[in-house]
Amino acid sequence: MIMDFGKVGVLYGGCSSEREISLISGMTIYNALLKAGINAHLFDPGKTKIMYLSELNFDRVFIALHGRFGEDGVIQGFLELLNIPYTGSGHLASSIAMNKVLSKKIWMQECLPTSEFEHLSGVHSLTKAANKLGFPLIIKPVYGGSTVGISKVDVFDNIETAYYNALNYDDEVFAEKFIIGRELTVAILGSGNSMRILPIIEIITPNGNYDYEHKYFSNETKYICPAILSNKLKYLISDISIKAYNSIGCDGWARLDFILDKYDNPWLLEINTSPGMTDHSLIPTAAKAAGISYTDLCLYLLSDASCKIKNRKF
């Protein structure tokens, strides 16, 4: 029996650089909810002023927004003020997870394995980053996602171009040590005693280039799920994932990305608290391998929706 969720809003689109993918994620979720008999409605804050959300009387919302103003704690804080239960992590955890530099600092403090990095503060900082990290290295927007604005840099002559490319998508940029290895991703559902880790996925792309096109649209990308790993390695990666998730205070669901180097050492890259939900996305793939249909995944996430700030005084 499907529980009565009341009137459900699916927040999608938005105004970040990941709008295109959010539109696809949101529409796919919306169709799945309708198919399950849910009273679901789409709401695009990229086209409709967010203040109107308070007039729609949603009983809960499914956040399918990616990137800035959707995955970074802004919309979560607004929903807390409106007292509308929502999927995923709260405003603080969402904000921390979206900031790749801050999340990496927390993981380092917790002695979790994540690659070396340098927060860039202008063109003058590029030489310091190159000397610290060596080549190749990766230049990334601090708050970006979906591989947008990311460049691999093999020689110093290209680092300035990569830096300015990342600045096209974000005001803050960082450099990260490039680690050659297998690309893995781990999905976590729930929190506390109800936490569940889905099967680990290995991502194999042509020439190892998991860019925007290969991530969301290419049929050349291969997903091996469950990934072929020893039981010892599966346990280690799962343990690191849980600790990384909990250290940031995540709730509901998230996806963690890893590189497994040639010595079978896993390295945390980033955590996503509002992951893609397209038919090419990773969490639906992992859920399917665990025997969870796309619709059931959506219903589970919706059933877990909540406001995270208790003891309201207003």
Side-chain angles (χ1 to χ4, degrees):
M1 178 182 294
I2 297 174
M3 65 180 288
D4 182 10
F5 295 116
K7 186 179 180 182
V8 174
V10 178
L11 306 190
Y12 79 141
C15 53
S16 78
S17 59
E18 300 174 68
R19 174 178 172 82
E20 179 185 20
I21 302 307
S22 177
L23 288 171
I24 299 172
S25 288
M27 185 59 71
T28 311
I29 292 166
Y30 170 71
N31 288 332
L33 295 179
L34 288 182
K35 183 180 178 181
I38 304 300
N39 180 20
H41 303 264
L42 293 167
F43 185 91
D44 181 357
K47 286 191 173 182
T48 304
K49 290 183 179 180
I50 195 67
M51 66 184 71
Y52 292 116
L53 193 62
S54 63
E55 301 176 6
L56 296 175
N57 298 315
F58 289 136
D59 293 295
R60 62 183 63 205
V61 300
F62 196 121
I63 298 177
L65 296 164
H66 308 318
R68 284 294 189 105
F69 307 111
E71 194 172 354
D72 61 356
V74 173
I75 193 68
Q76 288 80 4
F78 185 66
L79 292 168
E80 291 284 352
L81 287 171
L82 297 180
N83 198 28
I84 301 175
Y86 56 93
T87 56
S89 294
H91 68 288
L92 180 59
S94 297
S95 179
I96 293 171
M98 189 70 186
N99 185 322
K100 295 183 180 65
V101 167
L102 185 54
S103 58
K104 286 171 76 69
K105 286 181 178 180
I106 290 173
W107 291 336
M108 287 179 172
Q109 182 68 31
E110 295 294 315
C111 298
L112 297 173
T114 188
S115 53
E116 286 187 280
F117 71 96
E118 184 70 22
H119 197 176
L120 302 176
S121 55
V123 176
H124 66 277
S125 64
L126 298 178
T127 299
K128 179 182 178 183
N131 290 336
K132 175 181 177 179
L133 304 174
F135 291 99
L137 55 77
I138 299 290
I139 301 289
K140 295 181 177 180
V142 169
Y143 292 94
S146 295
T147 69
V148 175
I150 294 178
S151 301
K152 178 186 174 187
V153 181
D154 294 303
V155 294
F156 187 80
D157 287 348
N158 297 334
I159 195 170
E160 187 171 329
T161 299
Y163 172 70
Y164 282 115
N165 176 58
L167 280 176
N168 286 328
Y169 300 95
D170 193 11
D171 294 332
E172 294 186 60
V173 176
F174 75 109
E176 184 177 46
K177 185 178 182 63
F178 180 76
I179 299 174
I180 299 173
R182 298 164 64 185
E183 296 190 52
L184 305 174
T185 195
V186 181
I188 295 180
L189 302 180
S191 59
N193 294 330
S194 65
M195 186 182 297
R196 178 177 183 180
I197 294 185
L198 298 182
I200 299 170
I201 300 175
E202 179 173 4
I203 305 154
I204 302 176
T205 55
N207 302 316
N209 185 23
Y210 195 43
D211 58 11
Y212 186 86
E213 176 67 23
H214 286 108
K215 178 174 283 191
Y216 294 110
F217 302 108
S218 175
N219 290 321
E220 295 180 332
T221 304
K222 295 180 181 179
Y223 303 102
I224 301 175
C225 186
I228 301 172
L229 303 166
S230 68
N231 288 334
K232 180 179 179 181
L233 200 49
K234 288 179 184 176
Y235 177 82
L236 174 61
I237 293 170
S238 296
D239 184 59
I240 292 170
S241 298
I242 291 171
K243 289 176 179 176
Y245 183 91
N246 287 335
S247 69
I248 290 176
C250 293
D251 191 16
W253 65 324
R255 195 194 76 234
L256 298 103
D257 298 333
F258 286 84
I259 289 290
L260 186 67
D261 70 20
K262 62 182 179 180
Y263 302 109
D264 279 348
N265 296 313
W267 296 91
L268 278 162
L269 296 179
E270 61 183 83
I271 184 168
N272 301 272
T273 55
S274 183
M277 286 287 283
T278 73
D279 57 6
H280 277 66
S281 294
L282 297 165
I283 286 194
T285 299
K288 182 178 180 181
I292 304 170
S293 71
Y294 186 95
T295 298
D296 285 343
L297 174 62
C298 291
L299 294 175
Y300 170 81
L301 294 170
L302 195 57
S303 70
D304 202 39
S306 66
C307 289
K308 281 66 182 176
I309 300 176
K310 314 301 181 186
N311 302 319
R312 294 170 56 87
K313 302 299 182 182
F314 55 89

